[in-house]
Amino acid sequence: MTERPNVTAPWWSSATVYQIYPRSFRDSNGDGIGDLAGIIEKLDHLVTLGVDAMWVSPFFASPQQDFGYDVSDYCDVAAEYGTLHDAQLLIDEAHRRGLRVLFDLVLNHTSDQHPWFTESRSSRDNQRADWYLWRDGRGADGRRRPNNWRSVAEITSAWQWCEQRRQWYLATFMPCQPDLNWRHPEVREAMFDAVRFWLERGVDGFRLDMFGDVMKDPTFANVGLRPHVATGLPRLFDRSTVQNTEDNVQLARDLRSVCREYDGVGSPVGAGPRSADRERVLIGELFGPAAELRRFSADGDGLQLVFLFDFLTMHYDADWLRDRIIEFERAFPEPAQPTYVLENHDRTRLLDRVGGDLRKARVMATVLLTLRGVPTLYQGQELAQSNTYIPLRDAQDPIVRTHLPWLPEAVNRRLPERLNRDEVRTPMQWNSSPNAGFTDPAATPWLPTNADRGTANVADQDRDPDSMLTLYRSLLRQRRAHPALHSGRLDLAPGAPAGTLAWVRSTGDEQILVAANLTDRSVQVPTGTANAELLVATAADVTIDDAATPAVHLGPQCAAVVLLSPAP
Ligand code: GLC
Ligand code: CA
């Protein structure tokens, strides 16, 4: 089996991405908070796992009210995470190992403690007076909000009163995160310069936070009522004039032009045929139907990738998953790549979503890593870390305290979606000790470790051939080794039994069948050839027969990846 990477396609098109939440990955100095030096210490974990790129959540200067998604200086590092030198070291050390590095750009808003905002709010006529979205209020005293725009939580308004200016400012996420005025040329240039700052230091691209919210309706007209459900949450308002607008698609193209200034610039990343490919990649955090999001990457311009979040709130159901796959294949046909996500730092862990059933989590890992597209993993997913229940009164995540302070704990405990994001941000589990190897044994980690560290930890799973970590490593190894898996086409296999998903990934000379049984009975999925070799299976009892109708036999809740060779 030789490695035959497709050298004409850009590096990112066959990449896998691993998300690091720096505060919780590894603490190198025992203050209980993860840091950049800690990430560098653990880079080899990513190498042995077999991912190609890491996306690092924000570590820039910040008062940490939203744990880094409230930036007070885009070109500096928060002291608790390290220094600019550490950030450079992280890029260089990753590159030396052949890993690409994506940073997280928070474009929609800054912290209210960013000097730009401090100045902007000081008067109506300072130099940065229009850098944010200020509006006069309605009513005689101007104390009625300018319009009915809601914050992302929808329960509260997006407008915040500022006594100093006696005006309202827009804050789509939280009051401490005022929205920038991207229609102001100086704002665009200042932000583009921050992008260049990191591109110059060699970063391979960016994940773009809340990207679809950046360019809102310039007329500030009220939004209409439109009850619907989006990524698993009930929504009340129509956001089509404030989200995913045409202007926002244009901004994607403008940002891409900034990145293009650096395409091809910089030393090679690792060794191998792709090492000199320095195209910078943009991945957008966007919400909406796949066909709508596709506009952000149309004509090979704009963002190369947009997260498709449907799997993040998935139903463990073959028909539901198949419908999404068909939808994504249609919206993102080759050479475009859909971007699948099962976990991130905002939503419930996969293991909890499948009712704690490890077999189902193994099936979903196989699905994620064998579909056509760019899969993203979140730290700890490769161990099947589970949510850590933390009552609201102990929450550090400001989201509940800001938007839903009245929510009773009894209700919180029963919600299908976790509101307190701390529950999915507890430390990465490197071993089974009380602090999970995240920080010094004597230190207090910023969030408690999960009791599942007894089994969901790197040290123990590393040695266990049946562990989740071993499964992820095998899947990623096969994905990298087989062109059909990392850059082949995808065709759903006809004749898969009910409750089963099956597809064939293929290139000119290679065909690989993926079959996943999401039911509680055993099934047989025809292989079409007697010449089949099992590459990966999520359970030990998977077999392939060469009967008259050759098939792969799958027990309950189990998946397999099978290399199909033409009959000799
Ligand atoms: C995105 C991030 C989330 C953050 C928010 C505000 O949704 O994923 O963690 O709090 O944007 O920047
Ligand atoms: Ca630290």
Side-chain angles (χ1 to χ4, degrees):
M1 189 163 44
T2 50
E3 197 165 325
R4 289 166 295 173
N6 176 351
V7 280
T8 52
W11 67 268
W12 52 263
S13 74
S14 56
T16 47
V17 180
Y18 184 91
Q19 180 191 356
I20 291 179
Y21 192 73
R23 203 174 186 81
S24 303
F25 195 60
R26 160 76 189 150
D27 170 23
S28 70
N29 62 354
D31 64 359
I33 296 172
D35 43 55
L36 297 183
I39 302 177
I40 297 170
E41 255 180 55
K42 295 294 187 183
L43 282 176
D44 289 334
H45 172 67
L46 276 65
V47 174
T48 47
L49 181 58
V51 295
D52 302 292
M54 61 173 137
W55 142 37
V56 190
S57 278
F59 51 81
F60 311 109
S62 161
Q64 308 291 348
Q65 289 177 36
D66 189 22
F67 298 108
Y69 285 94
D70 49 329
V71 179
S72 56
D73 185 347
Y74 289 90
C75 303
D76 203 358
V77 173
E80 60 212 299
Y81 295 142
T83 60
L84 275 176
H85 175 74
D86 295 326
Q88 186 66 62
L89 214 58
L90 173 63
I91 297 171
D92 297 342
E93 285 297 312
H95 283 175
R96 213 163 56 74
R97 291 166 172 82
L99 291 166
R100 310 273 174 163
V101 185
L102 313 181
F103 284 171
D104 201 322
L105 266 186
V106 188
L107 303 173
N108 180 69
H109 47 259
T110 69
S111 158
D112 61 357
Q113 293 174 42
H114 195 297
W116 298 342
F117 189 70
T118 316
E119 188 175 354
S120 190
R121 84 163 144 218
S122 66
S123 70
R124 292 187 183 206
D125 51 16
N126 66 76
Q127 278 202 355
R128 295 204 166 83
D130 298 327
W131 278 42
Y132 294 82
L133 294 167
W134 294 99
R135 279 284 167 287
D136 288 330
R138 292 172 301 139
D141 59 355
R143 291 304 298 262
R144 285 175 57 215
R145 295 185 160 84
N147 67 22
N148 74 347
W149 291 3
R150 318 298 289 177
S151 74
V152 284
E154 282 209 333
I155 292 158
T156 49
S157 166
W159 293 101
Q160 302 298 327
W161 177 252
C162 168
E163 192 54 39
Q164 255 164 309
R165 281 180 62 144
R166 298 201 58 80
Q167 274 186 315
W168 297 87
Y169 67 88
L170 193 73
T172 303
F173 200 72
M174 275 190 294
C176 66
Q177 291 155 306
D179 288 17
L180 281 163
N181 176 13
W182 273 85
R183 295 183 195 278
H184 195 310
E186 289 173 13
V187 169
R188 279 169 60 101
E189 270 325 296
M191 292 299 283
F192 287 171
D193 281 346
V195 173
R196 292 188 182 100
F197 178 89
W198 291 110
L199 288 170
E200 252 153 44
R201 279 159 182 75
V203 85
D204 298 285
F206 301 95
R207 176 262 187 188
L208 307 175
D209 186 67
M210 277 178 71
F211 188 65
D213 293 84
V214 176
M215 301 298 289
K216 311 146 234 264
D217 176 5
T219 71
F220 289 87
N222 279 341
V223 293
L225 269 180
R226 185 172 71 88
H228 63 288
V229 175
T231 43
L233 297 174
R235 313 300 292 176
L236 219 50
F237 289 92
D238 176 11
R239 297 191 75 87
S240 61
T241 57
V242 291
Q243 207 174 48
N244 303 344
T245 61
E246 271 315 303
D247 290 347
N248 217 135
V249 173
Q250 182 55 44
L251 177 63
R253 298 194 194 105
D254 298 344
L255 261 178
R256 182 72 181 282
S257 309
V258 174
C259 289
R260 281 210 186 93
E261 296 167 18
Y262 295 83
D263 279 357
V265 179
S267 31
V269 179
R274 295 291 195 76
S275 67
D277 174 5
R278 297 306 314 272
E279 182 174 323
R280 312 304 163 111
V281 68
L282 295 173
I283 310 183
E285 184 195 32
L286 289 155
F287 298 92
E292 180 179 322
L293 303 188
R294 172 71 180 129
R295 291 154 52 238
F296 285 90
S297 64
D299 307 322
D301 202 353
L303 317 182
Q304 289 98 330
L305 299 168
V306 299
F307 286 125
L308 300 171
F309 284 127
D310 301 57
F311 274 38
L312 200 52
T313 52
M314 56 158 247
H315 298 214
Y316 185 80
D317 174 90
D319 293 335
W320 187 93
L321 291 164
R322 189 181 308 104
D323 286 348
R324 297 289 91 64
I325 295 167
I326 292 170
E327 181 193 347
F328 296 170
E329 282 291 310
R330 211 170 272 156
F332 290 81
E334 287 184 84
Q337 293 282 52
T339 309
Y340 290 90
V341 199
L342 286 171
E343 285 192 17
N344 68 16
H345 64 300
D346 292 330
R347 304 303 285 267
T348 290
R349 291 262 188 195
L350 170 64
L351 187 61
D352 291 79
R353 211 172 276 286
V354 295
D357 189 332
L358 279 167
R359 297 172 310 166
K360 295 181 179 175
R362 292 170 75 85
V363 167
M364 288 313 299
T366 309
V367 167
L368 175 74
L369 295 177
T370 59
L371 279 168
R372 195 181 70 78
V374 173
T376 305
L377 323 180
Y378 173 52
Q379 66 182 50
Q381 180 180 339
E382 73 275 35
L383 310 170
Q385 273 190 233
S386 55
N387 292 351
T388 308
Y389 169 66
I390 298 174
L392 296 180
R393 63 164 189 280
D394 298 332
Q396 302 205 34
D397 179 3
I399 204 166
V400 183
R401 284 187 283 128
T402 309
H403 294 298
L404 300 160
W406 41 263
L407 190 78
E409 187 56 32
V411 175
N412 174 46
R413 203 173 300 135
R414 283 176 185 77
L415 290 173
E417 290 299 326
R418 304 316 305 152
L419 292 179
N420 175 8
R421 297 173 298 173
D422 294 352
E423 298 186 5
V424 300
R425 296 174 176 180
T426 58
M428 173 75 179
Q429 293 160 189
W430 300 102
N431 61 43
S432 59
S433 71
N435 280 343
F438 162 69
T439 184
D440 287 358
T444 308
W446 79 285
L447 283 175
T449 55
N450 191 310
D452 72 4
R453 64 180 179 274
T455 51
N457 70 74
V458 175
D460 289 328
Q461 292 200 10
D462 177 64
R463 291 186 290 263
D464 175 0
D466 299 323
S467 71
M468 190 64 77
L469 180 59
T470 302
L471 175 67
Y472 269 89
R473 285 176 177 165
S474 319
L475 288 164
L476 285 160
R477 193 181 324 113
Q478 296 296 349
R479 187 181 168 94
R480 192 175 275 177
H482 291 279
L485 286 178
H486 66 240
S487 48
R489 50 178 289 136
L490 180 145
D491 294 284
L492 289 171
T500 308
L501 282 170
W503 57 79
V504 175
R505 301 290 314 276
S506 56
T507 50
D509 47 10
E510 194 180 54
Q511 286 208 321
I512 292 176
L513 170 74
V514 179
N517 175 14
L518 283 73
T519 73
D520 285 325
R521 10 165 251 286
S522 298
V523 300
Q524 299 181 26
V525 178
T527 58
T529 169
N531 228 338
E533 176 195 338
L534 192 61
L535 297 177
V536 187
T538 65
D541 58 356
V542 173
T543 54
I544 300 182
D545 70 17
D546 51 3
T549 316
V552 49
H553 296 249
L554 300 172
Q557 314 298 353
C558 150
V561 185
V562 181
L563 179 64
L564 309 176
S565 311

